[in-house]
Amino acid sequence: MTRTDPTDVPRPHAQLHLGVFFQGVNHWTIWSHPDSGSQIDPASYRRVAQTAERGLFDAFFLGEGLRLREVDGQIHELDIAGRPDAITQLAALAAVTDRIGLVSTSNTTFNEPADLARRLSGLDLLSGGRAGWNVVTTDNAWTGANFRRGGYLDHADRYRRAGEFLEVARALWDGWDDAAVARSTDAPAWSAPGAVRQVTHKGPQFDVELTPTLPRSAQGHPVIFQAGDSGEGRDFAARNADVIFSAHGNDFDDALAFADDVRRRLRAAGRPEDDLRILPGTEIIIGATEAEAQEKKRWLRLQQVTPATALSIAGLLWNRDLSDRDADGPLPAEDPLVEENDGSFGARRIADPREVVAEWRQKAEANGWSLRETVIALGPQRGHVGTPSGLADKFAHFVRHGAVDGFNITPYLIPDGLDDIVDLLVPELQERGVYRTAYTGTTLREHLGLRAPLTHRAAPAEDRAAS
């Protein structure tokens, strides 16, 4: 699917969208380096959000942590603990930012639509129409153990519940008309008669009967994000979402194949193929020269995959505690244990890892790698590495050939990890005409160039004729 003709540019005027993901867990964000600040201090969140806004980013994202990760029942001490509730933190950031979108990752399995829809409406109103909701699902008992109903949800039901959850939330957001609130003190009543309606929903997952308590924001609904990469997840996004995250943003051909698949699903769902923004997650490493950027990458991987982290990752593959081994020594001589995945560490263990271990051993022996070097070389590969000019050319190619609409960036340092991107890369993108030079709207929906919420659109002519 490679496109080599330089004159074949399907989207010559496309603009790149950028978001920043304040992750808070995992080893990609270095908490142990002297240049790293606090991962939980409110000042760090404020610094990252304001830097992203200075760089004209579309949105600031927060993840959700419903349970601390564990291995064999023990808290995984390499993780950062102490993340605040996303909506609470984003509400605080709404007061110290003006334009950037504020996106909360909130679970449909362990929330209820009436409560979550109201809290998201509150964030949307407080921020002047800048709220977004990253819709995530959970089906495992490991997370469910922190909740009264435990791991009650079958895997096959998680997207069914999410779809019905979103249906109820949208009905609640539509419970107020756009002109419901009086705009003059001369009006006969504070709200127009019939402008606020009761919502009644009875379905397999939810039984809701209430009158919404909050009006709509300037953007109508919070923007809907979705991150599932399975066929079910992609179909859910095609039916429901405004933005889809993905892990398909490093290689052009892989990204384009993902984008083409999503567009096919959009058409099947009866939506325009440009109705969904595609924002892969990524890491960006910048150097003054290509050689310097590659050297920075090598340094960074050693910071991210510390000896303790390497042993932890390998332990999940071998299904053994390897914490007493030498990370800079050889791979374990023992065969991995083959066992049913027990959900430890957020369901990351591999039930039958023998094939992967065999590949690791073959490549480690051929290259003379230590265990740590093997984890770095054969673990997940992510990110873009290069000079500001080279990366700007690369990203312009990605977006104008339809492989992505932008990127959701995970900084490897907090709170200053965006500075190089904002100060060095953004000007290069602007020079190529592929990135905004100013915000032209006030809402997140406007930043992303999205149409009205799905429930606010006229039905296709054939649907109206059939009704």
Side-chain angles (χ1 to χ4, degrees):
M1 201 171 288
T2 301
R3 293 174 181 162
T4 57
D5 183 353
T7 65
D8 176 21
V9 182
R11 307 195 303 174
H13 305 295
Q15 296 286 292
L16 191 77
H17 299 275
L18 293 179
V20 59
F21 181 27
F22 195 117
Q23 194 160 331
V25 296
N26 300 318
H27 62 279
W28 301 110
T29 305
I30 307 168
W31 58 264
S32 57
H33 192 269
D35 291 341
S36 179
S38 172
Q39 303 282 320
I40 61 174
D41 188 332
S44 294
Y45 293 89
R46 182 172 65 249
R47 171 82 166 87
V48 173
Q50 290 177 337
T51 300
E53 187 167 73
R54 178 168 63 86
L56 306 175
F57 279 41
D58 290 66
F60 174 94
F61 300 82
L62 281 181
E64 178 184 60
L66 298 181
R67 179 168 176 168
L68 297 179
R69 295 193 298 173
E70 301 172 8
V71 178
D72 295 328
Q74 300 298 314
I75 299 299
H76 182 60
E77 294 178 345
L78 299 175
D79 265 354
I80 294 154
R83 286 186 295 175
D85 171 71
I87 294 177
T88 303
Q89 180 65 69
L90 293 172
L93 292 176
V96 294
T97 56
D98 295 315
R99 295 295 184 90
I100 193 167
L102 304 166
V103 184
S104 168
T105 300
S106 298
N107 200 289
T108 58
T109 304
F110 302 114
N111 280 294
E112 294 296 326
D115 173 61
L116 183 58
R118 186 177 189 276
R119 290 190 288 127
L120 288 165
S121 283
L123 176 62
D124 212 18
L125 288 166
L126 284 170
S127 63
R130 294 188 280 141
W133 173 21
N134 181 26
V135 180
V136 295
T137 66
T138 300
D139 65 341
N140 65 66
W142 178 80
T143 301
N146 270 11
F147 294 85
R148 178 173 58 86
R149 288 171 292 187
Y152 73 99
L153 189 63
D154 288 338
H155 182 86
D157 288 334
R158 61 183 184 137
Y159 279 116
R160 295 190 188 103
R161 180 178 171 92
E164 189 177 338
F165 195 116
L166 191 51
E167 179 185 348
V168 176
R170 283 177 162 144
L172 294 169
W173 294 332
D174 287 337
W176 287 57
D177 288 344
D178 286 333
V181 179
R183 299 185 181 183
S184 167
T185 54
D186 295 330
W190 189 84
S191 63
V196 180
R197 294 174 298 282
Q198 181 172 285
V199 172
T200 300
H201 174 94
K202 296 186 184 299
Q205 296 285 344
F206 305 108
D207 187 349
V208 175
E209 186 171 335
L210 59 83
T211 302
T213 58
L214 292 175
R216 294 178 190 159
S217 78
Q219 67 175 349
H221 289 183
V223 174
I224 302 300
F225 295 74
Q226 202 273 334
D229 193 30
S230 65
E232 286 178 301
R234 297 184 195 194
D235 282 338
F236 180 86
R239 292 191 303 269
N240 297 290
D242 300 303
V243 182
I244 186 169
F245 296 143
S246 86
H248 302 273
N250 296 332
D251 175 77
F252 176 82
D253 286 345
D254 177 57
L256 184 59
F258 175 84
D260 285 342
D261 178 67
V262 167
R263 292 177 188 125
R264 178 185 61 78
R265 294 171 193 264
L266 278 167
R267 292 192 298 270
R271 295 174 64 185
E273 66 172 29
D274 65 346
D275 213 30
L276 189 65
R277 299 290 171 263
I278 300 171
L279 299 182
T282 197
E283 175 184 78
I284 296 177
I285 302 171
I286 297 176
T289 64
E290 290 292 339
E292 180 182 304
Q294 290 297 329
E295 181 58 34
K296 189 173 183 180
K297 175 185 174 181
R298 284 189 286 273
W299 166 83
L300 179 60
R301 293 296 180 258
L302 289 171
Q303 297 297 316
Q304 292 169 325
V305 184
T306 64
T309 297
L311 292 170
S312 176
I313 293 171
L316 293 172
L317 179 58
W318 261 263
N319 285 329
R320 297 176 182 273
D321 180 6
L322 302 178
S323 59
D324 61 344
R325 309 296 177 92
D326 180 7
D328 294 315
L331 273 62
E334 305 97 318
D335 288 333
L337 296 175
V338 178
E339 59 182 35
E340 184 177 349
N341 192 331
D342 65 357
S344 297
F345 199 56
R348 292 204 173 184
R349 279 186 163 155
I350 299 173
D352 189 352
R354 289 171 291 190
E355 184 176 339
V356 178
V357 167
E359 179 190 5
W360 278 33
R361 283 177 171 157
Q362 185 272 323
K363 291 188 175 179
E365 182 177 354
N367 292 280
W369 291 335
S370 67
L371 173 60
R372 185 183 183 194
E373 290 168 331
T374 304
V375 171
I376 292 172
L378 301 182
Q381 302 301 304
R382 65 200 305 268
H384 295 274
V385 183
T387 65
S389 177
L391 288 169
D393 287 338
K394 183 180 185 180
F395 293 164
H397 178 76
F398 269 57
V399 71
R400 289 187 167 164
H401 284 77
V404 303
D405 291 296
F407 295 100
N408 197 33
I409 300 167
T410 302
Y412 51 80
L413 280 177
I414 295 294
D416 301 327
L418 284 184
D419 288 3
D420 281 355
I421 295 167
V422 170
D423 295 335
L424 303 176
L425 177 59
V426 164
E428 294 283 350
L429 293 168
Q430 291 169 330
E431 185 176 306
R432 287 156 179 76
V434 76
Y435 193 75
R436 63 169 63 98
T437 56
Y439 288 113
T440 56
T442 60
T443 70
L444 178 54
R445 193 169 295 275
E446 289 173 312
H447 299 341
L448 289 162
L450 296 170
R451 296 178 176 88
L454 289 172
T455 56
H456 292 193
R457 303 182 195 178
E462 59 270 20
D463 291 349
R464 293 196 298 271
S467 62

